[in-house]
Amino acid sequence: MHSLANRKLILGSTSVYRRELLERLRLPFSVESPHVDETPQPGELPAALACRLALAKAEAVAARFPEAVVIGSDQVADLDGLALGKPGNHARAVQQLQQMAGRVVVFQTAIAVVCRATSFSQQALAPVKVTFRTLSATEIENYLRAEQPYDCAGSAKSEGLGIALLERIDNDDPTALIGLPLIRTAALLRAAGLDLLASPR
């Protein structure tokens, strides 16, 4: 096991949601953009896409900061094997919510921790099964106008008004749906040698 006591911790993501979640662990960290092409490969399933991109993001930042411990994460909405990413605009968000209404969607949230200096590299997947209500066109339009979740995979923020779109959430890592599974993140950091509770915070 390698000590991370003197190593910089970096979140390889520009997501404000992931930054806010990581702050809950009360660890000093910085944020770097990974600059990774997120285009799916031909025939790539959503879970495989999320895992590949999480690792690619961590490795991209670790290449620039080899002494640091880097966290990478990615989330892909999985609708019966069809990958739904960030909509980017209103029209695509409407389309996504129409597709997901009344259906079960698995939000595949992947996490990777990499430290080049210690040759540490591990990742984990935290799938979250979400059951959407049957939604009217008016409900979809009113929700999107209120929250504008165009930077969220699946076009909904469960931590906000988006919870009103849902019937059920099933998961074993409560923050995974928001974008960073903290139980698995803490486990990977422990595996890398960082004990989050070694001293008072």
Side-chain angles (χ1 to χ4, degrees):
M1 187 174 284
H2 306 285
S3 173
L4 304 186
N6 298 315
R7 297 198 183 279
K8 185 177 182 181
L9 181 63
I10 300 176
L11 175 63
S13 172
T14 55
S15 165
V16 64
Y17 314 112
R18 292 192 178 107
R19 186 176 72 238
E20 289 173 352
L21 287 171
L22 189 57
E23 286 172 351
R24 296 187 189 182
L25 298 184
R26 302 190 183 188
L27 295 170
F29 69 93
S30 60
V31 173
E32 294 288 340
S33 175
H35 303 297
V36 167
D37 181 0
E38 299 189 19
T39 305
Q41 295 176 350
E44 190 171 33
L45 293 175
L49 172 61
C51 288
R52 178 175 63 81
L53 292 180
L55 186 58
K57 291 174 181 180
E59 288 180 337
V61 174
R64 305 200 306 265
F65 302 91
E67 294 295 324
V69 174
V70 182
I71 298 170
S73 186
D74 192 77
Q75 183 180 77
V76 179
D78 181 348
L79 179 60
D80 295 334
L82 174 67
L84 301 177
K86 300 170 185 175
N89 60 51
H90 185 82
R92 286 192 55 173
V94 169
Q95 183 182 33
Q96 284 191 355
L97 288 177
Q98 288 173 338
Q99 284 179 283
M100 296 186 298
R103 306 279 296 279
V104 175
V105 181
V106 180
F107 285 78
Q108 306 284 5
T109 308
I111 174 81
V113 173
V114 172
C115 179
R116 283 204 168 188
T118 62
S119 299
F120 182 86
S121 178
Q122 287 189 19
Q123 61 184 132
L125 184 66
V128 182
K129 187 184 292 185
V130 177
T131 304
F132 279 79
R133 294 173 45 245
T134 299
L135 302 170
S136 69
T138 299
E139 285 178 311
I140 290 174
E141 185 68 21
N142 289 345
Y143 167 68
L144 292 176
R145 293 298 180 190
E147 203 146 60
Q148 301 181 14
Y150 308 136
D151 60 345
C152 298
S155 307
K157 296 181 183 179
S158 65
E159 68 274 26
L161 182 60
I163 201 73
L165 304 174
L166 311 180
E167 281 186 2
R168 183 183 177 97
I169 298 173
D170 295 291
N171 68 67
D172 62 0
D173 204 334
T175 59
L177 188 54
I178 307 174
L180 189 68
L182 287 181
I183 291 176
R184 285 168 175 78
T185 300
L188 290 182
L189 291 175
R190 285 196 301 272
L194 178 59
D195 185 349
L196 279 66
L197 299 175
S199 60
R201 298 192 186 284

